[in-house]
């Protein structure tokens, strides 16, 4: 707490970021008390400048933020909260992120608001899921879906062999390209079976710090 540089009003900006895919969810403010409460409870607390009171995120909506980690920037005058957003809704409008506006015209927000940018793999999974739900003429992804399990699994097998060969040749560029092909076809298989990419990220996250295999 002593390292941080609060402004003249005793506040410090805090950015909440999704702990799995890095999506920026919202920007709020903290004071000493809200930060201490966040650290003690493990749930995000902020200071509402409009209401001039402590704000336990989710206390009304149920969309709590479980704090996975807190960092401060190089000047110690801003915070970055890594959070597990309950209900996948951070914005008061019902949007996943408060950062949905773009272009000159204001947007209403809500569940139909544009999805915020995430990491490349998560954005790819989102696009593949959209192709599954809204087929596009001439789409290679939709041809895979139309071919079903047999075609999708065949392509995964082919790409796995090509990755093995690239590794055998010790060709970094080819290895990266073939690995990308595997990720893509893997995500097609996940979408075909109705398994969200986020569930894969959650499994990977759950294995952090797991006991080493013998």
């Amino acid at each position: 707490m002593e390292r941080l540089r609060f402004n003249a009003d005793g506040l410090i900006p805090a950015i909440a970021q999704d702990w799995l895919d890095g999506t920026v969810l919202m920007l709020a403010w903290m004071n000493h008390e809200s930060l201490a409460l966040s650290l003690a409870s493990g749930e995000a607390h902020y200071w509402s400048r409009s209401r001039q009171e402590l704000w336990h995120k989710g206390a009304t909506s149920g969309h709590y933020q479980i704090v996975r980690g807190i960092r401060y920037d190089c000047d110690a005058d801003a915070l970055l909260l890594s959070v597990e957003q309950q209900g996948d809704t951070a914005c008061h409008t019902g949007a996943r992120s408060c950062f949905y506006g773009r272009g000159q015209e204001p947007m209403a927000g809500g569940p139909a608001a544009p999805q915020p940018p995430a990491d490349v793999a998560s954005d790819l999974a989102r696009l593949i899921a959209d192709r599954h739900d809204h087929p596009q003429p001439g789409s290679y992804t939709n041809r895979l879906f139309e071919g079903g399990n047999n075609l999708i699994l065949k392509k995964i097998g082919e790409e796995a062999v090509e990755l093995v060969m690239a590794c055998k040749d010790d060709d970094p560029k080819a290895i990266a390209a073939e690995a990308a092909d595997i990720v893509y076809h893997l995500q097609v298989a996940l979408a075909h079976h109705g398994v969200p990419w986020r569930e894969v990220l959650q499994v990977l996250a759950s294995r952090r710090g797991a006991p080493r295999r013998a």
Side-chain angles (χ1 to χ4, degrees):
M1 196 79 73
E2 292 74 17
R3 279 277 300 152
L4 300 179
R5 296 170 58 192
F6 293 82
N7 66 17
D9 296 320
L11 302 175
I12 189 169
I15 298 169
Q17 181 182 39
D18 186 278
W19 74 297
L20 286 178
D21 64 14
T23 296
V24 175
L25 299 175
M26 56 180 278
L27 170 66
W29 294 84
M30 286 182 155
N31 60 10
H32 287 79
E33 186 178 2
S34 65
L35 178 54
L37 281 171
S38 299
L39 291 169
S41 69
E43 296 182 354
H45 290 68
Y46 301 102
W47 176 258
S48 172
R49 294 182 300 170
S50 59
R51 299 191 303 270
Q52 288 292 296
E53 64 182 14
L54 285 171
W55 164 31
H56 182 188
K57 175 66 176 173
T60 301
S61 65
H63 298 151
Y64 298 97
Q65 290 178 346
I66 309 302
V67 179
R68 292 279 182 164
I70 301 179
R71 296 191 181 197
Y72 51 85
D73 70 345
C74 56
D75 294 321
D77 60 1
L79 299 176
L80 179 65
L81 276 65
S82 180
V83 303
E84 182 179 349
Q85 178 66 61
Q86 304 300 292
D88 203 30
T89 301
C91 183
H92 74 282
T93 67
R96 183 186 180 205
S97 167
C98 294
F99 293 95
Y100 54 78
R102 59 188 179 193
Q104 295 184 355
E105 297 299 323
M107 305 184 74
Q115 288 291 316
D119 65 89
V120 173
S122 295
D123 279 342
L124 174 62
R126 189 182 296 162
L127 176 61
I128 291 172
D130 184 70
R131 285 288 190 273
H132 181 272
D133 297 337
H134 307 94
Q136 298 289 324
S139 165
Y140 172 68
T141 301
N142 284 126
R143 290 205 301 272
L144 290 174
F145 285 136
E146 291 166 4
N149 244 1
N150 288 341
L151 180 57
I152 295 171
L153 299 180
K154 178 175 178 289
K155 291 301 298 182
I156 290 177
E158 291 174 356
E159 299 300 343
V161 171
E162 292 178 10
L163 175 61
V164 169
M165 297 308 298
C167 290
K168 293 285 286 184
D169 293 338
D170 194 22
D171 184 340
K173 288 186 177 180
I175 292 171
E178 299 302 339
D181 286 342
I182 285 184
V183 171
Y184 163 76
H185 288 92
L186 168 65
Q187 290 189 342
V188 171
L190 292 170
H192 180 67
H193 289 280
V195 179
W197 176 246
R198 190 171 184 83
E199 288 192 16
V200 178
L201 298 181
Q202 288 171 336
V203 171
L204 290 172
S206 71
R207 294 177 179 174
R208 293 175 183 167
R212 296 182 180 180
R213 297 179 182 179

